């Protein structure tokens, strides 16, 4: 899925930001970088800021327009400040990560970042299916380009890890009648070892029931407990 996810930087003015964005991408497992009409081509400063992500930088694709960068994409999400004047579909960062990972199974998808000082133009935003806004501190919401790339690439990775996590092994729990047989066996064994008095069990069994109900042993674990009790029974009879 990550192979089908591309990061698009539009009209970037500082080459160091391109390198930092490449580094942010690589830390999250992304490697397809597209540069739309950058003010300056990646240079030595970009390489220095990439710090180990030189391969992402070296393989970056440079195109003149956003349309060319996303022409073959089935989903395009553009970063934008939340606007009350345009009712474009908005996503939260976590939602954007999930949507990108889900649809990347079917076709290339793109996450688009705008200019450092002015973001994406209205025309460019209209080429995106959804907009995503990072809910930063409203009193100081200006994010460095690389920081924004890092934040949203992290959300992509979280979604990817969740999609690729190992399914939980189905657990088999004992039936209630099996638990009741265990409690009877447990009480008999504790009486045999004089841990509790037969005619005055007090609160011991009640507390033990509460303990095992809280722990909720699996069927296999209950079998182990029954085996321990059987072993104790055998040793006390000898």
């Amino acid at each position: 899925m990550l192979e089908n996810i591309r990061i698009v930087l539009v009209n970037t003015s500082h080459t160091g930001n391109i390198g930092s964005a490449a580094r942010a991408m690589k830390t999250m497992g992304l490697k397809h970088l597209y540069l739309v009409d950058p003010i300056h081509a990646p240079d030595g400063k970009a390489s220095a800021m990439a710090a180990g992500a030189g391969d992402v930088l070296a393989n970056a694709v440079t195109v003149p327009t956003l349309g060319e960068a996303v022409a073959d994409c089935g989903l395009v999400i553009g970063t934008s400040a939340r606007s009350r004047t345009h009712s474009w579909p908005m996503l939260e960062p976590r939602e954007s990560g999930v949507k990108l990972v889900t649809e990347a199974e079917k076709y290339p998808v793109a996450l688009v970042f705008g200019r450092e000082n002015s973001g994406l133009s209205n025309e460019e935003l209209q080429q995106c299916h959804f907009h995503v806004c990072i809910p930063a501190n409203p009193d100081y919401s200006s994010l460095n380009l690389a920081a924004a790339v890092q934040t949203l690439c992290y959300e992509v990775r979280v979604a990817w890890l969740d999609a690729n996590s190992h399914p939980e092994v189905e657990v088999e729990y004992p039936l209630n009648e099996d638990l009741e047989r265990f409690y009877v066996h447990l009480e008999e064994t504790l009486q045999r070892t004089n841990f509790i008095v037969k005619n005055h069990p007090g609160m011991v069994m009640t507390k033990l029931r509460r303990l095992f109900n809280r722990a909720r042993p699996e069927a296999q674990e209950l079998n182990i407990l029954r085996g321990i009790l059987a072993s104790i029974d055998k040793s006390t009879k000898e």
Side-chain angles (χ1 to χ4, degrees):
M1 288 181 282
L2 296 182
E3 283 289 327
N4 260 352
I5 300 175
R6 69 185 59 163
I7 300 300
V8 181
L9 306 183
V10 176
N11 203 211
T12 311
S13 59
H14 301 291
T15 57
N17 285 336
I18 297 175
S20 294
R23 180 178 182 179
M25 290 171 57
K26 188 166 184 177
T27 61
M28 296 297 121
L30 301 177
K31 62 182 182 181
H32 296 297
L33 175 62
Y34 279 64
L35 304 176
V36 176
D37 188 28
I39 301 298
H40 302 288
D43 55 13
K45 187 172 182 180
S47 298
M49 296 302 291
D55 53 333
V56 175
L57 197 59
N59 293 315
V61 177
T62 300
V63 293
T65 65
L66 176 59
E68 291 177 68
V70 300
D72 61 337
C73 291
L75 172 69
V76 181
I77 299 178
T79 55
S80 169
R82 196 174 293 276
S83 172
R84 295 184 180 181
T85 58
H86 301 288
S87 57
W88 212 263
M90 293 291 301
L91 297 174
E92 296 298 328
R94 188 127 310 178
E95 292 176 312
S96 70
V98 171
K99 188 167 284 292
L100 286 164
V101 166
T102 300
E103 299 200 26
E105 294 182 351
K106 298 176 282 188
Y107 36 63
V109 299
L111 183 56
V112 184
F113 296 83
R115 300 157 187 83
E116 291 95 331
N117 59 348
S118 59
L120 295 169
S121 68
N122 288 334
E123 182 182 351
E124 289 160 348
L125 285 169
Q126 288 174 15
Q127 295 181 58
C128 303
H129 299 96
F130 296 92
H131 298 171
V132 58
C133 176
I134 298 173
N137 177 5
D139 295 328
Y140 187 68
S141 59
S142 178
L143 276 174
N144 173 273
L145 174 60
V149 172
Q150 185 76 79
T151 300
L152 294 180
C153 285
Y154 168 76
E155 295 297 348
V156 168
R157 185 159 189 83
V158 167
W160 178 77
L161 289 172
D162 185 59
N164 287 275
S165 62
H166 297 293
E168 293 185 9
V169 177
E170 188 172 342
V171 176
E172 181 183 355
Y173 290 103
L175 300 176
N176 196 60
E177 60 183 357
D178 296 322
L179 279 172
E180 287 302 319
R181 281 196 289 268
F182 165 70
Y183 291 134
V184 170
H185 191 174
L186 177 61
E187 185 171 356
E188 290 175 348
T189 300
L190 294 179
Q191 289 172 353
R192 187 174 294 110
T193 59
N194 296 317
F195 186 82
I196 60 176
V197 180
K198 183 175 183 178
N199 296 326
H200 303 284
M203 293 294 292
V204 173
M205 286 307 303
T206 299
K207 290 182 177 180
L208 287 174
R209 277 177 173 266
R210 187 171 63 185
L211 167 65
F212 285 110
N213 284 340
R214 186 168 63 244
R216 201 186 181 195
E218 300 169 9
Q220 189 176 23
E221 293 170 335
L222 191 68
N223 289 336
I224 292 173
L225 291 171
R226 291 294 300 272
I228 292 172
L229 294 177
S231 177
I232 295 172
D233 294 341
K234 181 178 179 181
S235 64
T236 55
K237 290 178 181 177
E238 292 177 352

